Amino acid sequence: MNFELDAAQSVWRDEVRAFLRENVTPELLAEVGEHRTTLLGGEVAAFRKKIGAKGWFGLNWPAEFGGMGLGPIYQHILMDEFEYWGVQGPDLTVTSVAPMIMRHGTQQNREQFLPPIARGEVRYAVGYSEPNAGTDLASLKTRAELDGEEWVINGSKIWNSQAHVATHEWLCVRTDPEAPKHRGISVIIVPIDTPGVEVRPLITWADYRTNETFFTDVRVPRTNLIGQLNEGWQYITGALSLERGALTNAGDFRRHVDELKELVRLPLEDGTRPVDNAEVRRAIAQLDADVEAAVLMGLEAASLLEIGEMPTITVTVAKVFTSELRQRIADVGTRIFGLAGALSTADPAAPAAGRYEKLYRNAPLMRFGAGTNEVLRDVIAQRGYTMPRLGR
Amino acid sequence: MDLTHSAEQLELGAVARSLFTRECPTSLVRRLREPGSDGLAPTLWQALASAGIFGIPFEEKYGGAGAGQYELGLVFEQAGRALCPTIVYSTMVFGLGVARLGGDQLKSRYLPDLVEGRLRASHATWNPSNAADLRPRLSALRVADGWLLSGRLLFVQNAQAVDVLMVTARTSVHREPQRTYGFLIQPGGAGWLARALMTIAHDQQSEVVLSDYFVADDAVLTGPDGTGLAEGDLAWLANSAIALQCMEMVGGTAAVIEQTVAYTKVREQFGRPIGSFQAVQHLVADMRIALDAARLTATQAAWWTGRGEIANRAVAIAKMKCNEAYKWATLNCHQLQGGMGYVLDTDLHLWSSRAKLTELQGGTTDTAALWLERESGLI
Ligand SMILES: Cc1cc2nc3c(=O)[nH]c(=O)nc-3n(C[C@H](O)[C@H](O)[C@H](O)COP(=O)(O)OP(=O)(O)OC[C@H]3O[C@@H](n4cnc5c(N)ncnc54)[C@H](O)[C@@H]3O)c2cc1C
């Protein structure tokens, strides 16, 4: 047990911090905040290039694939710092898609798909959910049928985030409709510009754009199938997604609490300061304590991975806890400034430039997305304590 | 003691409900949120006037029905279900203010028009973040035939769309004590500056800056004996407004729960309606428990303020319960509706935004708890 970073880890954290201090500019943050941007402009692209130059897109890739092969604690430190600064670091393409190709892909898959990812030339949208396959993902119906040397794909995906800016689709499809539902699923890579792919916008309450994507007789080469036929469910729900879960931590939460501590000292419209109210101080202290617990959950998951254990329960506990904590942070952040807390990002007088009003609209997603909390609570009880299951 | 409604009260609620269902669809709510909207809803307005809604609490001699302020609360509850535009609320609260604070001359000038639907109005007589704070934000300087008002008002509802606005100001007259007077002012003109505020609910709120804005003597509320408005009357008005807003919040809470329950009955995952999962039912049950607490405390507050009482305790409790019930109902409904309830194309967010706004408007739960602590002698 050791609650301190060791010397090498501190050096690493300082390096990441120095990079962010230098490169996270107000212009970049402004562009990041503009979720509706259909094509990301210069700032984000330039920032991504700098991350690429550091080699950090391959932070979790083994050295044999040209990655840095960083251990979980190091990855955790990097992700945590990026979140603290409010910018996206290595995205799903490099932390999730690429490792799945490395672990489960054929030799040809690896040679074909990994180098462009390493070079930062491609970006993947993750196409799992469908209108009737949300929490019950395994009931997905988008169909892929082999026709000679090509897959022919028909169906649709919903909540297909990034599809409007992505080059490729990491697509979950049904390849055997006769098999039990978890056994007939495969993963196929589809270039977004393939004829028959149509991306339509869906705008969320948080102004964030996601998409509905339609596939009509879309043809891709047979070799775009990842790994083995009908093994897709194992790939997308396996160890990797757990490892990735362990990387999601509470860096942005720490930032919010630090920021709130400063903001409450400033006088409000009527001359009073929120910090002079005991209940405001208490609310922030509560958040502070909860964020500490969330940070430790993330570090425990990373530590378990470091010693070769799968942190199933830790990650599940952390997901439920952090998603609900996010909602509480947003709630506190919108209510300690009086009615001014209702001012949105569009109003120049909004406290904290409307960040908490925005967070309030953002927060519901994490509670039902990526495994809804109701099901995850079942998981904690049933797998954490082997309690009997009612069956779903 | 009887916590059930009379046949007439039930009938009024049913009439109001069908009126709002018909005349205040979410397409209207969405239109009024658009940038540049004036927040007016002429067709709905006309329907409310024809149905006699505007006259409910006012005396018959001013054209009202004399039916009682509590009955107005029943209408607000139905209005809250339908996300009725706030100009209806601000107009009615203005009317209650004139009826309580005004003399016969001002009542005759404003109430008959209001009852007939010819007057739109609003008010700024308490701190919008804390309804128990009645200190005027404006100063009034005595000049010939009237007063010059100066100062800054935040979060004035519908300031830029109404015919008349009730404000309070501190007078300063040489050798006289400072007094709180009420002023009925017409938006616009010399000395008036307004800026629209952008809120989470896209409602019509403004920051208003007055600089030497002239008000003639005949539009001034000087209190019973000319020595200023009684603090108790202003407190009653603020509490009445909060109690009515709580009724609105109760209606909103009930609406989102019902819509979401309906959704969980038809949305299937794992081969069964998601509403059949125990975890879902428990969330629904918790929302219902919070709704009942909100509904009972809100109706109690509306009833006592409707009887002319200041009812600090009842109002504080209602605000505490309604804030949390409405907010968490909308957030838990997002949880149950998943992605489908989270896009702008579907309607849930309209209530979620309103819930957050009304939570903060007049006083957060912490603020209302302070009212209760003070009332209980704890502080
Ligand atoms: C903005 C946004 C971005 C997204 N991005 C992506 C993406 O890039 N790629 C992708 O594939 N998906 C994405 N998603 C999809 C997201 O993961 C799904 O919304 C999520 O899986 C929930 O599915 P659903 O919305 O269909 O809700 P439903 O499955 O209909 O569930 C709704 C609610 O029902 C209840 N429920 C359901 N099943 C059970 C059960 N067994 N027990 C108890 N309660 C239950 C829960 O309360 C749940 O929250 C995104 C969604 C959004 C809104």
Side-chain angles (χ1 to χ4, degrees):
Chain A
M1 192 56 77
N2 180 1
F3 280 85
E4 257 178 353
L5 297 181
D6 65 25
Q9 291 163 343
S10 298
V11 167
W12 169 242
R13 186 194 58 194
D14 292 345
E15 180 186 346
V16 175
R17 263 189 201 168
F19 171 84
L20 291 166
R21 196 172 298 119
E22 191 175 325
N23 293 299
V24 178
T25 59
E27 294 76 24
L28 173 66
L29 289 174
E31 196 179 299
V32 170
E34 189 48 71
H35 283 303
R36 287 200 202 208
T37 335
T38 36
L39 269 175
L40 297 173
E43 299 293 335
V44 170
F47 182 65
R48 283 174 60 86
K49 211 169 265 159
K50 289 180 198 160
I51 301 174
K54 279 276 190 189
W56 291 348
F57 278 141
L59 87 161
N60 60 336
W61 299 19
E64 53 171 314
F65 295 107
M68 300 176 78
L70 287 180
I73 298 275
Y74 282 81
Q75 292 178 44
H76 187 280
I77 291 170
L78 179 132
M79 299 300 268
D80 195 54
E81 291 295 325
F82 270 78
E83 285 177 359
Y84 190 93
W85 287 77
V87 286
Q88 190 176 51
D91 61 14
L92 281 185
T93 307
V94 292
T95 62
S96 178
V97 169
M100 280 194 268
I101 297 174
M102 288 169 206
R103 192 168 301 186
H104 305 295
T106 61
Q107 193 52 32
Q108 188 183 350
N109 287 156
R110 294 173 179 175
E111 283 164 14
Q112 185 182 355
F113 296 115
L114 287 176
I117 296 179
R119 290 194 298 268
E121 292 167 3
V122 291
R123 240 173 132 177
Y124 281 75
V126 175
Y128 294 164
S129 304
E130 295 180 7
N132 290 313
T135 304
D136 182 14
L137 182 58
S139 66
L140 62 90
K141 290 210 165 59
T142 295
R143 184 81 169 90
E145 286 167 289
L146 207 49
D147 178 23
E149 285 306 297
E150 286 180 329
W151 289 106
V152 183
I153 301 169
N154 281 288
S156 73
K157 294 289 170 180
I158 196 168
W159 321 121
N160 197 204
S161 304
Q162 312 280 346
H164 59 299
V165 288
T167 54
H168 291 73
E169 189 76 56
W170 176 260
L171 197 66
C172 241
V173 291
R174 185 152 306 277
T175 36
D176 183 355
E178 308 304 326
K181 62 183 187 177
H182 298 92
R183 302 254 166 75
I185 292 171
S186 303
V187 176
I188 295 178
I189 287 179
V190 179
I192 291 265
D193 60 5
T194 313
V197 179
E198 192 202 340
V199 179
R200 292 189 205 153
L202 285 169
I203 308 294
T204 69
W205 186 35
D207 299 327
Y208 174 87
R209 175 177 170 171
T210 177
N211 306 281
E212 193 163 13
T213 306
F214 298 86
F215 301 84
T216 315
D217 292 330
V218 173
R219 289 178 170 266
V220 297
R222 180 177 192 158
T223 50
N224 282 24
L225 176 84
I226 296 300
Q228 304 303 308
L229 189 65
N230 296 331
E231 292 293 322
W233 186 255
Q234 269 58 53
Y235 302 166
I236 65 169
T237 58
L240 262 167
S241 58
L242 272 177
E243 291 172 25
R244 183 159 44 80
L247 288 180
T248 60
N249 36 54
D252 54 333
F253 289 10
R254 175 54 66 205
R255 175 67 173 255
H256 290 312
V257 170
D258 287 353
E259 182 183 72
L260 284 174
K261 286 179 186 167
E262 293 302 318
L263 285 169
V264 293
R265 291 170 206 278
L266 304 175
L268 297 176
E269 191 54 34
D270 60 5
T272 63
R273 298 187 314 159
V275 71
D276 296 325
N277 286 339
E279 63 272 21
V280 169
R281 294 194 300 270
R282 177 62 49 85
I284 292 179
Q286 296 278 15
L287 293 182
D288 202 353
D290 282 347
V291 169
E292 191 75 16
V295 167
L296 293 174
M297 287 172 189
L299 284 167
E300 182 182 44
S303 303
L304 287 170
L305 282 169
E306 194 87 51
I307 61 164
E309 280 180 32
M310 269 306 144
T312 314
I313 298 302
T314 310
V315 168
T316 310
V317 164
K319 191 278 177 179
V320 173
F321 186 69
T322 54
S323 61
E324 293 175 3
L325 175 54
R326 178 178 284 103
Q327 220 157 32
R328 289 198 299 277
I329 294 173
D331 186 43
V332 171
T334 45
R335 71 178 155 78
I336 56 181
F337 304 107
L339 189 45
L343 292 175
S344 71
T345 43
D347 198 291
R355 271 194 293 285
Y356 295 95
E357 184 268 345
K358 179 95 171 209
L359 187 69
Y360 188 79
R361 290 182 285 127
N362 246 314
L365 168 63
M366 279 56 101
R367 223 176 118 191
F368 64 77
T372 192
N373 286 6
E374 282 69 45
V375 170
L376 295 184
R377 284 190 159 89
D378 289 349
V379 170
I380 293 168
Q382 291 162 5
R383 298 187 55 184
Y385 292 97
T386 58
M387 292 177 84
R389 26 186 320 169
L390 192 63
R392 242 186 241 122
Chain B
M1 187 61 74
D2 172 13
L3 298 199
T4 65
H5 282 126
S6 69
E8 290 78 20
Q9 289 168 332
L10 292 173
E11 171 67 12
L12 173 63
V15 167
R17 183 162 181 174
S18 71
L19 188 153
F20 284 111
T21 306
R22 205 170 53 243
E23 304 292 344
C24 190
T26 51
S27 55
L28 172 67
V29 177
R30 287 171 178 276
R31 195 142 29 82
L32 297 177
R33 289 167 56 104
E34 291 295 313
S37 157
D38 55 11
L40 301 178
T43 317
L44 167 65
W45 196 266
Q46 203 42 58
L48 289 169
S50 307
I53 298 290
F54 294 126
I56 287 176
F58 303 116
E59 286 176 72
E60 285 166 27
K61 71 172 179 176
Y62 301 114
Q69 192 172 313
Y70 178 75
E71 276 65 19
L72 181 63
L74 298 178
V75 173
F76 271 45
E77 178 181 359
Q78 300 307 324
R81 276 184 170 273
L83 297 171
C84 173
T86 61
I87 195 154
V88 173
Y89 307 137
S90 68
T91 298
M92 293 312 292
V93 170
F94 168 91
L96 296 178
V98 170
R100 174 94 170 208
L101 305 169
D104 188 54
Q105 179 228 348
L106 285 177
K107 289 194 222 180
S108 306
R109 191 192 306 170
Y110 289 109
L111 294 182
D113 277 351
L114 190 158
V115 167
E116 295 292 323
R118 288 193 300 271
L119 187 84
R120 291 175 174 82
S122 188
H123 50 83
T125 65
W126 60 85
N127 177 347
S129 295
N130 179 0
D133 174 7
L134 303 167
R135 290 169 299 172
R137 292 291 185 280
L138 302 174
S139 63
L141 199 68
R142 186 72 191 144
V143 292
D145 306 326
W147 299 85
L148 293 179
L149 303 187
S150 296
R152 179 153 165 263
L153 300 167
L154 270 177
F155 292 99
V156 185
Q157 295 175 51
N158 306 298
Q160 307 191 62
V162 295
D163 305 304
V164 59
L165 190 62
M166 178 186 289
V167 300
T168 48
R170 272 319 251 172
T171 63
S172 73
V173 178
H174 186 57
R175 283 171 181 281
E176 273 185 30
Q178 289 202 327
R179 294 179 172 138
T180 298
Y181 280 172
F183 299 83
L184 304 178
I185 69 177
Q186 270 91 53
W192 165 280
L193 202 75
R195 176 179 83 86
L197 297 171
M198 314 290 186
T199 73
I200 186 170
H202 300 246
D203 55 347
Q204 306 285 323
Q205 308 233 21
S206 297
E207 171 186 359
V208 174
V209 178
L210 299 181
S211 342
D212 291 339
Y213 179 96
F214 178 75
V215 190
D217 277 334
D218 68 352
V220 182
L221 303 162
T222 58
D225 49 7
T227 59
L229 297 176
E231 173 128 350
D233 286 336
L234 287 171
W236 171 84
L237 181 60
N239 280 359
S240 292
I242 297 297
L244 289 166
Q245 183 184 304
C246 285
M247 293 299 287
E248 176 213 332
M249 296 168 86
V250 167
T253 309
V256 289
I257 298 173
E258 286 165 27
Q259 289 162 14
T260 302
V261 165
Y263 180 78
T264 66
K265 290 178 182 171
V266 295
R267 168 68 171 171
E268 294 197 0
Q269 289 287 275
F270 305 97
R272 49 197 267 198
I274 57 173
S276 67
F277 292 115
Q278 196 171 27
V280 169
Q281 294 177 0
H282 283 186
L283 262 185
V284 169
D286 285 343
M287 290 192 273
R288 170 55 186 262
I289 293 164
L291 168 63
D292 278 0
R295 182 175 51 78
L296 288 165
T297 56
T299 47
Q300 169 169 266
W303 192 81
W304 282 110
T305 51
R307 297 235 306 197
E309 307 274 336
I310 296 175
N312 277 331
R313 178 181 162 80
V315 169
I317 292 171
K319 192 68 165 74
M320 291 169 72
K321 293 285 119 193
C322 291
N323 279 351
E324 301 306 309
Y326 198 5
K327 170 174 65 190
W328 286 106
T330 57
L331 296 177
N332 288 332
C333 287
H334 277 294
Q335 179 64 6
L336 298 183
Q337 293 195 27
M340 231 33 219
Y342 189 57
V343 282
L344 293 182
D345 291 340
T346 55
D347 288 337
L348 178 56
H349 71 98
L350 299 170
W351 277 270
S352 315
S353 304
R354 181 78 193 145
K356 188 69 199 179
L357 192 283
T358 47
E359 174 204 353
L360 305 179
Q361 187 163 272
T364 60
T365 305
D366 284 337
T367 304
L370 281 176
W371 306 341
L372 185 57
E373 289 165 20
R374 200 171 301 134
E375 193 63 22
S376 316
L378 291 171
I379 48 171

